[in-house]
Structures are given as structure tokens and as C-alpha cells.
């Protein structure tokens, strides 16, 4: 979850203090992948391709996780926001950076007031990079995904099989992004007993929302059971 990266003895990046908690799953991606400009273009503001090189987005996303050990499927629907190297720094913030900090920030719950001033978006981004293995970090220096092998890579730094130990490797970090999913609706399908399958839908209603008839309020979510 964003702002809740667990400790990893192999991760040499400094971690933020546990100042926030969230219900915001994350995954990493390469900015050169097609899904990045798609997330920008499908957002409410219909971002341009040029904007997709930085932070921003907000387009719709749907992700599915199957956990075999408990025979349960989780389907998450929401909005996707991308965090890039411009998330912090000197100078004027871009509109994309402001969007990420506003839209994601509103779902980050404070658990430690006295640490808010020192919490850093850039540190969190670097910690996610450090949480990857050297081989995975090196994948961000691969040739452009999806381009023909017959084409010679335009950047001499791009090659398969590289391992990166430097957390600030310029070529890898240029392409590295964290995608944050801001869930709006989550479905849980329990197939522990296939002939007695159960399904629930969790809908985000906020801290003051009403679960209504037939619903159960759990934190900021409305839970209701559905026929599978």
C-alpha cells in the first residue's frame, strides 16, 4: 500500500516514518509502456502524451488478484495515478504533480501527526525502487518494450540483463514509475467451497458516508453481499 511499504532487509533505500496509512495498492511500471499515456489520456482532464512523462493521470483502472492459498479473488476498480521523479523538487509544481498529491493525499490517513512535515513523496518513490531486486531495477534500462528487435536501441544504456545497485541510477530512474490505484469499488469472491461460493462488494463512501439499507459500514467502506 502507498505510504505503508513494509521493511525489507534487502532494500537499502531510506524509508519514510509510518506517518500515514492507506487503502491504495501500488505497482511499478516503465514510463515507456503503452499503459502510461493511456492512463493520462483517459483521465478526466484528458492529458496529453507529453504530460505522461511526469506525474499525474487519474484514468480508470481495474486490477484482479487471485490468492490461491485462500481461494479468493479480489477485483479492484478505481483510478490510476502515476508518480515520477517530478513529484518533488525545486520550481513550480506541474498540474499533474498537484493532481497526484491532491487526489492521493485525500485518501492517506494520518496516524502520526508530528511526522507529517518530514514525510517525502520522493523518498517514498525511491523506496519503491529500492524494494525491487537489482535485476528488476535493471529492467528499466531495457530497450523500449514492444519495439522490434531488429531496431537498434537509440540509447547506448539500453540492454537486456542489466543489474542496478545504485538507487539513483540515472538511466533506470528516468523510466521508473510507481502507479497508485485509488479504489472506488472492490469485489471479493470466495471460492473456498465452490458449491457455496460467496461474493461481497465494498464501495468507498468516505468517513461520513451512509451504508444504507442492506449495507454494513466498515471504516470508510460500504460492504454488501452479492449473489456470486
Amino acid at each position: 500500500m502507498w505510504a505503508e511499504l513494509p521493511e525489507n532487509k534487502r532494500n537499502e533505500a531510506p524509508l519514510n516514518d509510518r506517518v500515514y496509512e492507506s487503502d491504495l495498492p501500488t505497482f511499478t511500471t516503465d514510463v515507456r509502456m503503452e499503459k502510461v499515456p493511456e492512463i493520462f489520456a483517459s483521465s478526466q482532464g484528458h492529458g496529453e502524451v507529453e504530460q505522461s512523462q511526469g506525474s499525474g493521470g487519474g484514468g480508470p483502472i481495474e486490477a484482479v488478484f487471485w490468492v490461491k492459498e485462500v481461494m479468493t479473488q479480489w477485483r479492484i476498480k478505481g483510478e490510476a495515478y502515476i508518480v515520477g521523479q517530478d513529484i518533488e523538487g525545486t520550481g513550480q509544481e506541474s498540474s499533474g504533480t498537484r493532481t497526484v498529491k491532491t487526489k492521493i493525499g485525500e485518501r492517506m490517513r494520518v496516524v502520526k501527526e508530528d511526522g507529517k512535515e518530514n514525510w517525502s513523496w520522493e523518498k517514498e518513490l525511491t523506496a519503491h525502487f529500492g524494494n525491487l531486486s537489482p535485476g528488476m531495477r535493471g529492467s528499466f534500462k531495457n530497450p523500449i518494450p514492444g519495439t522490434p528487435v531488429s531496431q537498434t536501441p537509440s540509447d547506448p544504456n539500453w540492454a537486456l540483463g542489466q543489474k542496478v545497485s545504485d538507487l539513483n541510477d540515472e538511466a533506470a530512474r528516468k523510466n521508473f514509475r510507481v502507479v497508485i490505484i485509488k479504489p472506488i469499488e472492490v469485489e471479493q469472491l470466495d471460492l473456498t467451497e465452490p458449491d457455496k461460493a460467496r461474493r461481497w462488494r465494498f464501495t468507498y463512501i468516505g468517513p461520513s458516508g451512509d451504508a444504507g439499507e442492506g449495507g454494513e459500514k466498515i471504516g470508510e467502506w460500504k460492504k454488501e453481499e452479492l449473489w456470486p
Side-chain angles (χ1 to χ4, degrees), residues 5-142:
L5 195 66
E7 289 189 13
N8 177 355
K9 63 182 181 181
R10 295 184 177 86
N11 186 355
E12 298 178 355
L15 301 180
N16 279 310
D17 288 341
R18 186 57 60 85
V19 174
Y20 298 98
E21 65 179 12
S22 77
D23 301 317
L24 304 167
T26 64
F27 63 91
T28 62
T29 193
D30 191 311
V31 72
R32 300 169 297 171
M33 297 287 283
E34 292 181 358
K35 61 175 165 285
V36 174
E38 289 173 353
I39 287 172
F40 275 79
S42 60
S43 67
Q44 191 172 13
H46 302 291
E48 301 294 334
V49 173
E50 295 76 20
Q51 293 177 293
S52 66
Q53 294 302 302
S55 301
I61 190 170
E62 186 168 334
V64 177
F65 299 89
W66 167 250
V67 185
K68 183 178 180 181
E69 291 76 11
V70 292
M71 296 295 288
T72 299
Q73 173 184 283
W74 297 88
R75 183 181 298 273
I76 303 171
K77 301 177 184 178
E79 300 166 346
Y81 293 89
I82 296 173
V83 181
Q85 287 183 292
D86 63 338
I87 196 67
E88 279 184 351
T90 58
Q92 186 175 2
E93 286 187 335
S94 68
S95 60
T97 295
R98 291 194 298 272
T99 296
V100 171
K101 290 183 176 180
T102 299
K103 295 296 186 179
I104 295 302
E106 65 189 19
R107 293 280 288 273
M108 293 165 59
R109 300 181 296 273
V110 178
V111 295
K112 184 182 176 184
E113 281 286 348
D114 60 356
K116 289 171 60 177
E117 299 79 11
N118 296 321
W119 197 91
S120 165
W121 291 79
E122 192 280 330
K123 181 184 285 188
E124 195 74 8
L125 177 65
T126 299
H128 277 264
F129 185 71
N131 205 45
L132 302 175
S133 68
M136 280 298 297
R137 295 175 206 157
S139 70
F140 294 97
K141 298 173 72 172
N142 286 351

Side-chain angles (χ1 to χ4, degrees), residues 168-218:
N168 296 303
D169 184 284
E170 184 177 355
R173 290 298 301 271
K174 181 180 178 181
N175 297 323
F176 175 75
R177 297 292 185 274
V178 170
V179 182
I180 305 173
I181 300 176
K182 184 180 181 182
I184 297 172
E185 182 179 292
V186 179
E187 286 198 4
Q188 176 188 0
L189 178 63
D190 185 346
L191 296 175
T192 304
E193 299 180 68
D195 57 342
K196 297 179 182 179
R198 300 185 70 183
R199 177 182 173 189
W200 296 268
R201 179 170 59 209
F202 300 82
T203 305
Y204 184 76
I205 57 175
S208 58
D210 183 5
E213 185 177 354
E216 175 188 359
K217 186 173 183 181
I218 301 177

